[in-house]
Amino acid sequence: MSVNEIGEFIGALLILTGGIASVISVFGLIRLPDVYTRSHAATKSSTLAVLLTLSGTFLYFWFSEQFISVRVLLGIVFVFLTAPVAGHLIIRAAYRSKVKLADISVEDALYEVLHKEENVEEDETGR
Amino acid sequence: MIETMLTIALVLFSATIAIAVIRIILGPSMPDRVIALDMIGVNLIATIAVVSIMLNTKAFLEVILILGILSFIGTIAFSKFIERGVIVERKRDR
């Protein structure tokens, strides 16, 4: 096997690993009890799956056509920056719009803070 | 060998997208559906990368960037809509 074939094989192996990680994360999305635990499966592990796949694509194009794709690198950086931010924002919106926690949850650390904040927010919006 | 691995990965990503569609249909609250939609967008990026290897072309690599940007902006707009009720807010005290 030449160097190029080994590089292509490593790229394909990374892509296969990404596919397996993606299926594992979607099992988390369908099995976990409430939206706050589901967001862990949906943002963290699927970000890992996509990063593995895009890295495999980058390696494959590098070794098969000697083409260093800046677009794929930009895509990796962009997904890595934005997926956790999007997950945080949507979970913040879910908590603010009072989506219930699962019944087996032990503690809601923000409950006191949010209910003290409600009166202050009403004052601020009424200005 | 490489062809087989890429086909298996493509089948796995398609299964992921199908199960996320089930979560969109079931999902009891709106944020559940938005999270599943975000996951579909992210997995679509990976699917397009695999397809562009299998078709042996570099023309689809721009689609990765544009889908990433669109999925991010869509999730942010949905979260702002769920939290505030509007997407574009006006300043009242001018």
Side-chain angles (χ1 to χ4, degrees):
Chain A
M1 282 173 84
S2 66
V3 179
N4 284 344
E5 286 180 14
I6 293 174
E8 287 175 11
F9 185 76
I10 290 176
L13 200 64
L14 280 180
I15 290 175
L16 190 61
T17 318
I20 294 170
S22 147
V23 167
I24 291 173
S25 76
V26 86
F27 275 128
L29 185 73
I30 206 80
R31 288 281 298 167
L32 287 173
D34 66 346
V35 64
Y36 305 104
T37 44
R38 268 175 219 144
S39 81
H40 286 277
T43 56
K44 294 185 186 71
S45 49
S46 77
T47 306
L48 173 72
V50 170
L51 286 182
L52 283 174
T53 309
L54 289 183
S55 310
T57 311
F58 178 71
L59 277 183
Y60 187 89
F61 277 122
W62 188 6
F63 281 106
S64 75
E65 305 183 21
Q66 275 76 41
F67 175 72
I68 296 188
S69 169
V70 186
R71 299 185 198 104
V72 174
L73 279 184
L74 263 180
I76 291 173
V77 171
F78 195 79
V79 170
F80 195 59
L81 279 182
T82 58
V85 175
H88 172 79
L89 276 178
I90 189 64
I91 287 307
R92 188 167 171 270
Y95 195 82
R96 287 288 177 93
S97 62
K98 300 186 178 55
V99 176
K100 288 266 188 298
L101 272 72
D103 294 333
I104 57 171
S105 309
V106 180
E107 190 183 0
D108 185 0
L110 274 180
Y111 188 79
E112 306 269 329
V113 183
L114 192 76
H115 283 255
K116 197 169 48 176
E117 212 178 53
E118 266 179 0
N119 301 325
V120 181
E121 261 189 7
E122 277 173 9
D123 291 343
E124 279 180 358
T125 49
R127 66 188 155 161
Chain B
M1 184 69 187
I2 288 177
E3 194 79 11
T4 318
M5 287 160 82
L6 290 181
T7 315
I8 293 174
L10 208 56
V11 169
L12 290 179
F13 281 122
S14 314
T16 301
I17 291 178
I19 298 176
V21 167
I22 295 178
R23 175 50 74 192
I24 286 185
I25 297 170
L26 288 182
S29 64
M30 273 313 273
D32 279 305
R33 298 192 170 98
V34 180
I35 282 178
L37 201 64
D38 188 47
M39 194 166 173
I40 284 181
V42 165
N43 278 297
L44 213 53
I45 294 174
T47 311
I48 286 172
V50 180
V51 165
S52 93
I53 286 183
M54 289 186 80
L55 294 183
N56 205 7
T57 174
K58 285 173 282 195
F60 290 154
L61 296 183
E62 285 98 346
V63 183
I64 293 175
L65 270 177
I66 294 181
L67 255 184
I69 293 169
L70 278 184
S71 144
F72 178 58
I73 292 176
T75 307
I76 284 188
F78 267 122
S79 74
K80 202 162 181 189
F81 178 71
I82 290 173
E83 193 173 346
R84 304 260 169 89
V86 289
I87 295 175
V88 181
E89 282 179 295
R90 294 197 195 116
K91 287 183 182 169
R92 291 199 200 109
D93 46 352
R94 255 197 294 197

